[in-house]
Amino acid sequence: MINKKVKSVQEALAGIEDGMTIMLGGFGLCGIPENSIAELVKKDVTNLTCISNNAGVDDFGLGLLLQKRQIKKMISSYVGENAEFERQMLSGELEVELTPQGTLAEKCRAAQAGIPAFFTPAGFGTEVAEGKESREFNGKMHILEHAYKADFAIVKAWKGDEAGNLIFKGTARNFNAPMAGAGKITIAEVEELLPVGSLDPNQIHIPGILVQRIFKGEKFEKRIEQRTVRKK
Amino acid sequence: MLGKEEIAKRIAKEVKDGYYVNLGIGIPTLVANYVRTDISVEFQSENGVLGMGPFPFEGEEDADIINAGKQTITTLPGASFFDSAFSFGMIRSQHVDLTILGAMEVAENGDIANWKIPGKMVKGMGGAMDLVASAENIIVAMMHVNKAGESKILKRCTLPLTGVGCVKKVVTELAVMEVTPKGFKLLERAPGVSVEHIIASTEAELIIEGEIPEMKIG
């Protein structure tokens, strides 16, 4: 067993510097690496390019980094939940690359899988296709999209073991699975960090080979963005 | 003239036995409430779940189980979870039978615009571009006219496009229209709404053949 365990979030995030490109898992606030984000705020690294489906809300998730102007460029598919984001974007302080969600996921997966580029029909005929090569396959137009290149990928899982194997829960798997192994270094923060042998190999979603550092998050708030319920 | 719930009710009639269905945010989400209970249908949400159920009971919400609108949900027996890349894989490979989504504008060539108003609203396309580029069967739920009374059913879209030549059917508060190679064909009118009213509310040309029946809702 190759041990990937690190003792603290500080140790896990060692080497993240100003100007780097970082992928962060999560959909909305579901499955975001909240302990790592809190540490990035403390670390005060700036000029970051962040690849993340969403940008958090004003006071949680990546919204915390936006408030401190630590992000230079955001690559996302949907940013509607964050007023500060919209303000920085419309004023030109923040560079934004809006990408169709399936394309964003596949650009991560392509990086994870060692595929430099792929064709997708998403965005053909729209401003997303501007400047991109297009080609017809089976009578349908597609555009060429490239794999992301990131210095770090930070993902959040439910359970992990010291070998870096990961298991996700519910819809918190989202972008965490395709981002694992998609950066030069992948950091996993988990709710439960178990000794090797505790997880059934049949149930592993991401094998430890894709993870370089794993740590147990100190505290998970797991904030709910839209609490919708029905009466008993 | 139909309300939002009635638009959802009318669209629910398009959902057939054995369909996997992706519902967008807004009116489309309401469609799930009106699908016949004697047929088998599974709802997909692009953030990674198939077999979505109703909202959880108070106190049983789980932050790790949400839909693409970030709402807490439940799952039904037979449900499954998967990651975002996998989710859009099943959408791109056309395993999802029906996509229902909202729009700001649709055009008679099947173009749709629903993600951006330049200089005003830039929230992003989310999964809409992937869905409309891949789905074979797309129904749009929308209002026929905007608050100023201007038609949103157009000859050509004026807003930045989400997808080209993809919309198959449109259901509004006034009418059901099919997108044909020759343009919008009027199929049904809302109860109490005249064909003249629909023509006056539509910037695009409408193909009208014979008597246009009233929609049956409920």
Side-chain angles (χ1 to χ4, degrees), chain A residues 119-146:
Chain A
F119 281 97
T120 176
F124 177 77
T126 76
E127 59 182 59
V128 165
E130 283 168 17
K132 290 174 187 162
E133 184 186 334
S134 58
R135 202 188 288 186
E136 188 183 317
F137 293 95
N138 306 319
K140 187 169 175 166
M141 291 307 292
H142 295 71
I143 58 176
L144 184 67
E145 295 281 5
H146 293 265

PDB file of all heavy atoms in Angstrom, chain A residues 119-146:
ATOM      1  N   PHE A 119     -14.524  15.883 -29.661  1.00  0.00           N
ATOM      2  CA  PHE A 119     -15.590  16.618 -30.340  1.00  0.00           C
ATOM      3  C   PHE A 119     -16.911  16.427 -29.611  1.00  0.00           C
ATOM      4  O   PHE A 119     -17.215  15.316 -29.170  1.00  0.00           O
ATOM      5  CB  PHE A 119     -15.741  16.123 -31.781  1.00  0.00           C
ATOM      6  CG  PHE A 119     -14.716  16.687 -32.716  1.00  0.00           C
ATOM      7  CD1 PHE A 119     -13.568  15.973 -33.029  1.00  0.00           C
ATOM      8  CD2 PHE A 119     -14.885  17.949 -33.279  1.00  0.00           C
ATOM      9  CE1 PHE A 119     -12.609  16.505 -33.892  1.00  0.00           C
ATOM     10  CE2 PHE A 119     -13.936  18.485 -34.138  1.00  0.00           C
ATOM     11  CZ  PHE A 119     -12.791  17.759 -34.447  1.00  0.00           C
ATOM     12  N   THR A 120     -17.655  17.516 -29.478  1.00  0.00           N
ATOM     13  CA  THR A 120     -18.983  17.448 -28.854  1.00  0.00           C
ATOM     14  C   THR A 120     -19.948  18.332 -29.644  1.00  0.00           C
ATOM     15  O   THR A 120     -19.542  19.362 -30.186  1.00  0.00           O
ATOM     16  CB  THR A 120     -18.938  17.907 -27.380  1.00  0.00           C
ATOM     17  OG1 THR A 120     -20.268  17.918 -26.850  1.00  0.00           O
ATOM     18  CG2 THR A 120     -18.353  19.302 -27.219  1.00  0.00           C
ATOM     19  N   PRO A 121     -21.232  17.956 -29.695  1.00  0.00           N
ATOM     20  CA  PRO A 121     -22.192  18.820 -30.396  1.00  0.00           C
ATOM     21  C   PRO A 121     -22.595  20.051 -29.563  1.00  0.00           C
ATOM     22  O   PRO A 121     -23.110  21.017 -30.113  1.00  0.00           O
ATOM     23  CB  PRO A 121     -23.401  17.898 -30.604  1.00  0.00           C
ATOM     24  CG  PRO A 121     -23.317  16.898 -29.485  1.00  0.00           C
ATOM     25  CD  PRO A 121     -21.844  16.696 -29.232  1.00  0.00           C
ATOM     26  N   ALA A 122     -22.327  20.010 -28.244  1.00  0.00           N
ATOM     27  CA  ALA A 122     -22.803  21.097 -27.365  1.00  0.00           C
ATOM     28  C   ALA A 122     -22.169  22.428 -27.751  1.00  0.00           C
ATOM     29  O   ALA A 122     -20.950  22.540 -27.824  1.00  0.00           O
ATOM     30  CB  ALA A 122     -22.491  20.765 -25.912  1.00  0.00           C
ATOM     31  N   GLY A 123     -23.013  23.407 -27.990  1.00  0.00           N
ATOM     32  CA  GLY A 123     -22.524  24.757 -28.280  1.00  0.00           C
ATOM     33  C   GLY A 123     -22.324  25.063 -29.746  1.00  0.00           C
ATOM     34  O   GLY A 123     -22.045  26.207 -30.115  1.00  0.00           O
ATOM     35  N   PHE A 124     -22.494  24.059 -30.625  1.00  0.00           N
ATOM     36  CA  PHE A 124     -22.337  24.355 -32.054  1.00  0.00           C
ATOM     37  C   PHE A 124     -23.370  25.410 -32.469  1.00  0.00           C
ATOM     38  O   PHE A 124     -24.531  25.332 -32.091  1.00  0.00           O
ATOM     39  CB  PHE A 124     -22.496  23.101 -32.923  1.00  0.00           C
ATOM     40  CG  PHE A 124     -22.408  23.431 -34.384  1.00  0.00           C
ATOM     41  CD1 PHE A 124     -21.179  23.675 -34.967  1.00  0.00           C
ATOM     42  CD2 PHE A 124     -23.561  23.591 -35.154  1.00  0.00           C
ATOM     43  CE1 PHE A 124     -21.083  24.060 -36.305  1.00  0.00           C
ATOM     44  CE2 PHE A 124     -23.480  23.981 -36.486  1.00  0.00           C
ATOM     45  CZ  PHE A 124     -22.233  24.209 -37.065  1.00  0.00           C
ATOM     46  N   GLY A 125     -22.931  26.397 -33.245  1.00  0.00           N
ATOM     47  CA  GLY A 125     -23.837  27.454 -33.704  1.00  0.00           C
ATOM     48  C   GLY A 125     -24.071  28.544 -32.675  1.00  0.00           C
ATOM     49  O   GLY A 125     -24.861  29.455 -32.903  1.00  0.00           O
ATOM     50  N   THR A 126     -23.391  28.464 -31.526  1.00  0.00           N
ATOM     51  CA  THR A 126     -23.537  29.492 -30.485  1.00  0.00           C
ATOM     52  C   THR A 126     -22.203  30.188 -30.279  1.00  0.00           C
ATOM     53  O   THR A 126     -21.189  29.803 -30.864  1.00  0.00           O
ATOM     54  CB  THR A 126     -23.967  28.874 -29.134  1.00  0.00           C
ATOM     55  OG1 THR A 126     -22.827  28.226 -28.538  1.00  0.00           O
ATOM     56  CG2 THR A 126     -25.077  27.859 -29.310  1.00  0.00           C
ATOM     57  N   GLU A 127     -22.165  31.182 -29.397  1.00  0.00           N
ATOM     58  CA  GLU A 127     -20.906  31.910 -29.182  1.00  0.00           C
ATOM     59  C   GLU A 127     -19.842  31.042 -28.524  1.00  0.00           C
ATOM     60  O   GLU A 127     -18.659  31.370 -28.578  1.00  0.00           O
ATOM     61  CB  GLU A 127     -21.147  33.214 -28.411  1.00  0.00           C
ATOM     62  CG  GLU A 127     -21.771  33.070 -27.065  1.00  0.00           C
ATOM     63  CD  GLU A 127     -22.025  34.430 -26.388  1.00  0.00           C
ATOM     64  OE1 GLU A 127     -22.751  35.258 -26.967  1.00  0.00           O
ATOM     65  OE2 GLU A 127     -21.502  34.637 -25.289  1.00  0.00           O
ATOM     66  N   VAL A 128     -20.254  29.917 -27.929  1.00  0.00           N
ATOM     67  CA  VAL A 128     -19.285  28.983 -27.350  1.00  0.00           C
ATOM     68  C   VAL A 128     -18.370  28.393 -28.441  1.00  0.00           C
ATOM     69  O   VAL A 128     -17.219  28.037 -28.184  1.00  0.00           O
ATOM     70  CB  VAL A 128     -20.034  27.849 -26.600  1.00  0.00           C
ATOM     71  CG1 VAL A 128     -19.138  26.664 -26.302  1.00  0.00           C
ATOM     72  CG2 VAL A 128     -20.633  28.399 -25.308  1.00  0.00           C
ATOM     73  N   ALA A 129     -18.887  28.305 -29.667  1.00  0.00           N
ATOM     74  CA  ALA A 129     -18.133  27.678 -30.763  1.00  0.00           C
ATOM     75  C   ALA A 129     -17.156  28.634 -31.438  1.00  0.00           C
ATOM     76  O   ALA A 129     -16.321  28.200 -32.237  1.00  0.00           O
ATOM     77  CB  ALA A 129     -19.113  27.125 -31.802  1.00  0.00           C
ATOM     78  N   GLU A 130     -17.236  29.922 -31.088  1.00  0.00           N
ATOM     79  CA  GLU A 130     -16.401  30.923 -31.776  1.00  0.00           C
ATOM     80  C   GLU A 130     -14.911  30.600 -31.623  1.00  0.00           C
ATOM     81  O   GLU A 130     -14.430  30.372 -30.518  1.00  0.00           O
ATOM     82  CB  GLU A 130     -16.694  32.327 -31.231  1.00  0.00           C
ATOM     83  CG  GLU A 130     -17.997  32.887 -31.786  1.00  0.00           C
ATOM     84  CD  GLU A 130     -18.472  34.144 -31.063  1.00  0.00           C
ATOM     85  OE1 GLU A 130     -17.656  34.768 -30.364  1.00  0.00           O
ATOM     86  OE2 GLU A 130     -19.667  34.466 -31.195  1.00  0.00           O
ATOM     87  N   GLY A 131     -14.209  30.561 -32.761  1.00  0.00           N
ATOM     88  CA  GLY A 131     -12.767  30.300 -32.750  1.00  0.00           C
ATOM     89  C   GLY A 131     -12.396  28.840 -32.578  1.00  0.00           C
ATOM     90  O   GLY A 131     -11.217  28.515 -32.457  1.00  0.00           O
ATOM     91  N   LYS A 132     -13.398  27.964 -32.534  1.00  0.00           N
ATOM     92  CA  LYS A 132     -13.101  26.542 -32.361  1.00  0.00           C
ATOM     93  C   LYS A 132     -13.326  25.777 -33.664  1.00  0.00           C
ATOM     94  O   LYS A 132     -14.212  26.116 -34.442  1.00  0.00           O
ATOM     95  CB  LYS A 132     -13.987  25.942 -31.260  1.00  0.00           C
ATOM     96  CG  LYS A 132     -13.611  26.437 -29.869  1.00  0.00           C
ATOM     97  CD  LYS A 132     -14.564  25.965 -28.796  1.00  0.00           C
ATOM     98  CE  LYS A 132     -14.219  26.637 -27.475  1.00  0.00           C
ATOM     99  NZ  LYS A 132     -15.313  26.565 -26.497  1.00  0.00           N
ATOM    100  N   GLU A 133     -12.510  24.745 -33.851  1.00  0.00           N
ATOM    101  CA  GLU A 133     -12.660  23.905 -35.039  1.00  0.00           C
ATOM    102  C   GLU A 133     -13.997  23.165 -34.966  1.00  0.00           C
ATOM    103  O   GLU A 133     -14.380  22.676 -33.913  1.00  0.00           O
ATOM    104  CB  GLU A 133     -11.494  22.899 -35.071  1.00  0.00           C
ATOM    105  CG  GLU A 133     -11.477  22.025 -36.297  1.00  0.00           C
ATOM    106  CD  GLU A 133     -10.380  20.954 -36.212  1.00  0.00           C
ATOM    107  OE1 GLU A 133      -9.377  21.168 -35.511  1.00  0.00           O
ATOM    108  OE2 GLU A 133     -10.568  19.907 -36.856  1.00  0.00           O
ATOM    109  N   SER A 134     -14.709  23.082 -36.100  1.00  0.00           N
ATOM    110  CA  SER A 134     -15.940  22.290 -36.101  1.00  0.00           C
ATOM    111  C   SER A 134     -15.849  21.229 -37.202  1.00  0.00           C
ATOM    112  O   SER A 134     -15.140  21.401 -38.198  1.00  0.00           O
ATOM    113  CB  SER A 134     -17.165  23.181 -36.296  1.00  0.00           C
ATOM    114  OG  SER A 134     -17.060  23.904 -37.486  1.00  0.00           O
ATOM    115  N   ARG A 135     -16.538  20.157 -36.986  1.00  0.00           N
ATOM    116  CA  ARG A 135     -16.476  19.054 -37.939  1.00  0.00           C
ATOM    117  C   ARG A 135     -17.787  18.256 -37.886  1.00  0.00           C
ATOM    118  O   ARG A 135     -18.420  18.149 -36.844  1.00  0.00           O
ATOM    119  CB  ARG A 135     -15.308  18.133 -37.575  1.00  0.00           C
ATOM    120  CG  ARG A 135     -14.852  17.293 -38.777  1.00  0.00           C
ATOM    121  CD  ARG A 135     -13.834  16.254 -38.376  1.00  0.00           C
ATOM    122  NE  ARG A 135     -12.525  16.814 -38.063  1.00  0.00           N
ATOM    123  CZ  ARG A 135     -11.465  16.046 -37.807  1.00  0.00           C
ATOM    124  NH1 ARG A 135     -11.570  14.732 -37.810  1.00  0.00           N
ATOM    125  NH2 ARG A 135     -10.308  16.595 -37.521  1.00  0.00           N
ATOM    126  N   GLU A 136     -18.147  17.699 -39.052  1.00  0.00           N
ATOM    127  CA  GLU A 136     -19.380  16.919 -39.119  1.00  0.00           C
ATOM    128  C   GLU A 136     -19.090  15.432 -38.895  1.00  0.00           C
ATOM    129  O   GLU A 136     -18.172  14.874 -39.486  1.00  0.00           O
ATOM    130  CB  GLU A 136     -20.016  17.121 -40.496  1.00  0.00           C
ATOM    131  CG  GLU A 136     -21.403  16.512 -40.626  1.00  0.00           C
ATOM    132  CD  GLU A 136     -21.973  16.662 -42.031  1.00  0.00           C
ATOM    133  OE1 GLU A 136     -21.832  17.749 -42.630  1.00  0.00           O
ATOM    134  OE2 GLU A 136     -22.548  15.679 -42.530  1.00  0.00           O
ATOM    135  N   PHE A 137     -19.843  14.821 -38.011  1.00  0.00           N
ATOM    136  CA  PHE A 137     -19.796  13.373 -37.816  1.00  0.00           C
ATOM    137  C   PHE A 137     -21.219  12.850 -37.898  1.00  0.00           C
ATOM    138  O   PHE A 137     -22.112  13.390 -37.236  1.00  0.00           O
ATOM    139  CB  PHE A 137     -19.236  13.015 -36.423  1.00  0.00           C
ATOM    140  CG  PHE A 137     -17.789  13.374 -36.219  1.00  0.00           C
ATOM    141  CD1 PHE A 137     -17.457  14.580 -35.608  1.00  0.00           C
ATOM    142  CD2 PHE A 137     -16.765  12.526 -36.619  1.00  0.00           C
ATOM    143  CE1 PHE A 137     -16.131  14.934 -35.400  1.00  0.00           C
ATOM    144  CE2 PHE A 137     -15.434  12.872 -36.413  1.00  0.00           C
ATOM    145  CZ  PHE A 137     -15.114  14.074 -35.804  1.00  0.00           C
ATOM    146  N   ASN A 138     -21.454  11.811 -38.669  1.00  0.00           N
ATOM    147  CA  ASN A 138     -22.782  11.197 -38.775  1.00  0.00           C
ATOM    148  C   ASN A 138     -23.877  12.233 -39.051  1.00  0.00           C
ATOM    149  O   ASN A 138     -24.951  12.188 -38.455  1.00  0.00           O
ATOM    150  CB  ASN A 138     -23.126  10.416 -37.495  1.00  0.00           C
ATOM    151  CG  ASN A 138     -22.044   9.407 -37.156  1.00  0.00           C
ATOM    152  OD1 ASN A 138     -21.500   8.741 -38.040  1.00  0.00           O
ATOM    153  ND2 ASN A 138     -21.687   9.315 -35.878  1.00  0.00           N
ATOM    154  N   GLY A 139     -23.556  13.192 -39.918  1.00  0.00           N
ATOM    155  CA  GLY A 139     -24.557  14.180 -40.323  1.00  0.00           C
ATOM    156  C   GLY A 139     -24.827  15.276 -39.314  1.00  0.00           C
ATOM    157  O   GLY A 139     -25.754  16.068 -39.486  1.00  0.00           O
ATOM    158  N   LYS A 140     -24.015  15.349 -38.259  1.00  0.00           N
ATOM    159  CA  LYS A 140     -24.265  16.340 -37.214  1.00  0.00           C
ATOM    160  C   LYS A 140     -22.985  17.113 -36.925  1.00  0.00           C
ATOM    161  O   LYS A 140     -21.895  16.542 -36.936  1.00  0.00           O
ATOM    162  CB  LYS A 140     -24.724  15.592 -35.960  1.00  0.00           C
ATOM    163  CG  LYS A 140     -25.185  16.467 -34.830  1.00  0.00           C
ATOM    164  CD  LYS A 140     -25.865  15.591 -33.781  1.00  0.00           C
ATOM    165  CE  LYS A 140     -26.225  16.436 -32.579  1.00  0.00           C
ATOM    166  NZ  LYS A 140     -27.153  15.772 -31.696  1.00  0.00           N
ATOM    167  N   MET A 141     -23.122  18.420 -36.660  1.00  0.00           N
ATOM    168  CA  MET A 141     -21.941  19.249 -36.436  1.00  0.00           C
ATOM    169  C   MET A 141     -21.469  19.169 -34.979  1.00  0.00           C
ATOM    170  O   MET A 141     -22.274  19.134 -34.057  1.00  0.00           O
ATOM    171  CB  MET A 141     -22.245  20.704 -36.800  1.00  0.00           C
ATOM    172  CG  MET A 141     -22.445  20.937 -38.291  1.00  0.00           C
ATOM    173  SD  MET A 141     -21.095  20.305 -39.321  1.00  0.00           S
ATOM    174  CE  MET A 141     -19.761  21.421 -38.852  1.00  0.00           C
ATOM    175  N   HIS A 142     -20.156  19.150 -34.829  1.00  0.00           N
ATOM    176  CA  HIS A 142     -19.524  19.077 -33.507  1.00  0.00           C
ATOM    177  C   HIS A 142     -18.407  20.111 -33.426  1.00  0.00           C
ATOM    178  O   HIS A 142     -17.885  20.536 -34.458  1.00  0.00           O
ATOM    179  CB  HIS A 142     -18.926  17.684 -33.284  1.00  0.00           C
ATOM    180  CG  HIS A 142     -19.930  16.582 -33.216  1.00  0.00           C
ATOM    181  ND1 HIS A 142     -20.629  16.137 -34.319  1.00  0.00           N
ATOM    182  CD2 HIS A 142     -20.371  15.834 -32.172  1.00  0.00           C
ATOM    183  CE1 HIS A 142     -21.454  15.164 -33.955  1.00  0.00           C
ATOM    184  NE2 HIS A 142     -21.312  14.962 -32.655  1.00  0.00           N
ATOM    185  N   ILE A 143     -18.043  20.489 -32.210  1.00  0.00           N
ATOM    186  CA  ILE A 143     -16.902  21.401 -32.047  1.00  0.00           C
ATOM    187  C   ILE A 143     -15.805  20.714 -31.233  1.00  0.00           C
ATOM    188  O   ILE A 143     -16.084  19.826 -30.421  1.00  0.00           O
ATOM    189  CB  ILE A 143     -17.299  22.757 -31.407  1.00  0.00           C
ATOM    190  CG1 ILE A 143     -17.955  22.571 -30.034  1.00  0.00           C
ATOM    191  CG2 ILE A 143     -18.220  23.521 -32.329  1.00  0.00           C
ATOM    192  CD1 ILE A 143     -18.265  23.883 -29.339  1.00  0.00           C
ATOM    193  N   LEU A 144     -14.571  21.164 -31.490  1.00  0.00           N
ATOM    194  CA  LEU A 144     -13.411  20.559 -30.822  1.00  0.00           C
ATOM    195  C   LEU A 144     -13.169  21.262 -29.486  1.00  0.00           C
ATOM    196  O   LEU A 144     -13.078  22.486 -29.418  1.00  0.00           O
ATOM    197  CB  LEU A 144     -12.171  20.703 -31.711  1.00  0.00           C
ATOM    198  CG  LEU A 144     -10.893  20.044 -31.188  1.00  0.00           C
ATOM    199  CD1 LEU A 144     -11.024  18.525 -31.178  1.00  0.00           C
ATOM    200  CD2 LEU A 144      -9.693  20.445 -32.047  1.00  0.00           C
ATOM    201  N   GLU A 145     -13.099  20.470 -28.438  1.00  0.00           N
ATOM    202  CA  GLU A 145     -12.818  20.998 -27.092  1.00  0.00           C
ATOM    203  C   GLU A 145     -11.587  20.291 -26.537  1.00  0.00           C
ATOM    204  O   GLU A 145     -11.395  19.105 -26.764  1.00  0.00           O
ATOM    205  CB  GLU A 145     -14.016  20.746 -26.160  1.00  0.00           C
ATOM    206  CG  GLU A 145     -15.287  21.496 -26.552  1.00  0.00           C
ATOM    207  CD  GLU A 145     -15.284  22.966 -26.142  1.00  0.00           C
ATOM    208  OE1 GLU A 145     -14.255  23.443 -25.623  1.00  0.00           O
ATOM    209  OE2 GLU A 145     -16.320  23.627 -26.365  1.00  0.00           O
ATOM    210  N   HIS A 146     -10.778  21.032 -25.777  1.00  0.00           N
ATOM    211  CA  HIS A 146      -9.522  20.487 -25.254  1.00  0.00           C
ATOM    212  C   HIS A 146      -9.631  20.127 -23.778  1.00  0.00           C
ATOM    213  O   HIS A 146     -10.377  20.751 -23.025  1.00  0.00           O
ATOM    214  CB  HIS A 146      -8.394  21.504 -25.447  1.00  0.00           C
ATOM    215  CG  HIS A 146      -8.058  21.719 -26.886  1.00  0.00           C
ATOM    216  ND1 HIS A 146      -7.043  21.055 -27.522  1.00  0.00           N
ATOM    217  CD2 HIS A 146      -8.647  22.489 -27.831  1.00  0.00           C
ATOM    218  CE1 HIS A 146      -7.000  21.414 -28.789  1.00  0.00           C
ATOM    219  NE2 HIS A 146      -7.964  22.283 -29.004  1.00  0.00           N
TER     220      HIS A 146
END
